Amino acid sequence: MREHVGKSSKLFNGFTSIMRRFIFKVLCVGPIPNHISFIMDGNRRFAKKHNLQGPDAGHRAGFVSVTYVLQYCQEIGVPYVTLYAFGIDNFKREPEEVKCMMDLMLEKIELTIDQAISGNLKDLKVIFAGDLNLLNERLKVAAQSLMELTEQNRGLVAVVIVAYSTSHEIVQAIRESCVRKCVDGDSPLVLEMSDVEECMYTSIVPDPDLVIRSGGIDRLSNFMTWQSSRSLLHTTAALWPELGLWHLVWAILKFQRMHDYLQKKKKQKLD
């Protein structure tokens, strides 16, 4: 009986894999976003909806979605993905929940480090961005180790945004650009927009083409508001742990329909 179930499961997985590759092949006939950002909202509501116990239950379910989303983006050929994992305002939540989120993040980072060491992560480069000094020392060290281990990897670049808000990013970017400019104390300080942008946490990746927010709320929540001024914002009612293949496909189809308009807006920004 178990052998029969196992064979059926393998057949089903093989069929879904073939169908997914076919869908992605059709999707790739049109323009594919160079950079997709995800605002991962709805973990706590998912836990409440399904009566999951524990302050980290919804977040654990959310990490499963992260795995699938990265896999799908890699198969489609999206070069850059950013994941809004933890905002500065999240530190204001109940201390128990914040600790559980930090512990869970550390657990997943250490698991990914093991995968990188064993050579199973050659097609993924992981970068952490944000005010990493706000993280506890163990988490900060683990994040740095994972970045170093995957630094030379080719393929999808996944940027995990932690301890971040756009307002915090802009303030620190202006400070940093002032420090860089203040070489000659007698010269007047003149900052260009490019000076500030070069000092932003997210300067390591191009501006997003498509921002996908789960949870049904139409706002950016202080996430990359500077960089996404010419991006398409797509909101889905699905909570983050519910986000699946079709939600991503639908968002990219919407991007393709809007592509000419978005390109025109980007050209105006450059001009």
Side-chain angles (χ1 to χ4, degrees):
M1 180 68 177
R2 288 181 180 177
E3 184 179 349
H4 177 72
V5 172
K7 286 182 179 179
S8 299
S9 178
K10 285 182 180 178
L11 284 172
F12 177 77
N13 289 338
F15 174 74
T16 54
S17 178
I18 291 170
M19 287 300 297
R20 191 171 68 246
R21 287 200 297 270
F22 173 76
I23 292 167
F24 290 165
K25 194 169 184 178
V26 173
L27 195 65
C28 287
V29 172
I32 298 298
N34 187 51
H35 178 187
I36 302 179
S37 290
F38 292 92
I39 301 175
M40 305 183 292
D41 189 26
N43 288 339
R44 292 190 296 177
R45 280 180 282 161
F46 178 84
K48 186 176 181 181
K49 178 179 176 181
H50 294 277
N51 296 314
L52 302 179
Q53 301 301 313
D56 66 344
H59 302 298
R60 285 190 176 276
F63 266 103
V64 176
S65 286
V66 169
T67 303
Y68 283 114
V69 163
L70 291 179
Q71 177 188 341
Y72 297 153
C73 287
Q74 199 168 39
E75 292 177 0
I76 293 169
V78 177
Y80 300 95
V81 167
T82 51
L83 302 163
Y84 195 14
F86 193 86
I88 284 181
D89 286 345
N90 292 145
F91 283 112
K92 299 176 183 177
R93 293 182 179 181
E94 290 297 323
E96 183 186 7
E97 183 183 0
V98 173
K99 183 180 183 304
C100 284
M101 291 175 72
M102 294 293 105
D103 291 346
L104 179 58
M105 197 179 303
L106 177 62
E107 174 191 322
K108 297 303 180 182
I109 292 173
E110 290 179 338
L111 179 63
T112 310
I113 286 174
D114 291 340
Q115 292 178 320
I117 291 173
S118 62
N120 295 324
L121 214 65
K122 294 180 180 179
D123 297 326
L124 181 66
K125 179 177 181 177
V126 182
I127 298 172
F128 289 86
D131 193 346
L132 303 186
N133 291 322
L134 296 178
L135 304 178
N136 65 62
E137 191 62 26
R138 190 177 172 190
L139 183 55
K140 189 165 59 172
V141 169
Q144 186 61 42
S145 296
L146 183 54
M147 286 193 285
E148 291 173 0
L149 283 168
T150 62
E151 187 176 8
Q152 301 303 319
N153 288 0
R154 295 292 177 266
L156 177 64
V157 177
V159 183
V160 183
I161 308 292
V162 291
Y164 173 93
S165 71
T166 298
S167 51
H168 187 79
E169 177 183 42
I170 290 173
V171 170
Q172 77 79 30
I174 292 173
R175 285 174 178 165
E176 178 64 24
S177 54
C178 286
V179 170
R180 292 185 183 184
K181 284 280 188 174
C182 288
V183 179
D184 185 356
D186 296 328
S187 301
L189 180 63
V190 179
L191 288 181
E192 303 292 342
M193 187 180 295
S194 58
D195 296 323
V196 177
E197 290 178 335
E198 286 173 6
C199 295
M200 286 185 164
Y201 297 129
T202 50
S203 62
I204 48 182
V205 292
D207 292 348
D209 302 297
L210 173 62
V211 179
I212 299 175
R213 176 168 185 142
S214 59
I217 300 174
D218 292 311
R219 61 188 178 92
L220 290 171
S221 296
N222 214 352
F223 174 65
M224 296 183 76
T225 51
W226 179 296
Q227 299 88 336
S228 58
S229 60
R230 299 294 187 274
S231 307
L232 174 65
L233 174 61
H234 174 79
T235 305
T236 174
L239 304 174
W240 177 251
E242 298 170 341
L243 196 82
L245 171 66
W246 290 110
H247 299 105
L248 180 60
V249 169
W250 183 250
I252 294 177
L253 286 173
K254 184 177 177 181
F255 167 80
Q256 291 177 342
R257 291 198 304 271
M258 299 284 292
H259 184 257
D260 290 344
Y261 172 79
L262 293 169
Q263 289 298 107
K264 186 177 178 181
K265 287 294 181 182
K266 284 188 177 182
K267 189 175 182 300
Q268 290 175 356
K269 182 180 179 181
L270 292 173
D271 293 342

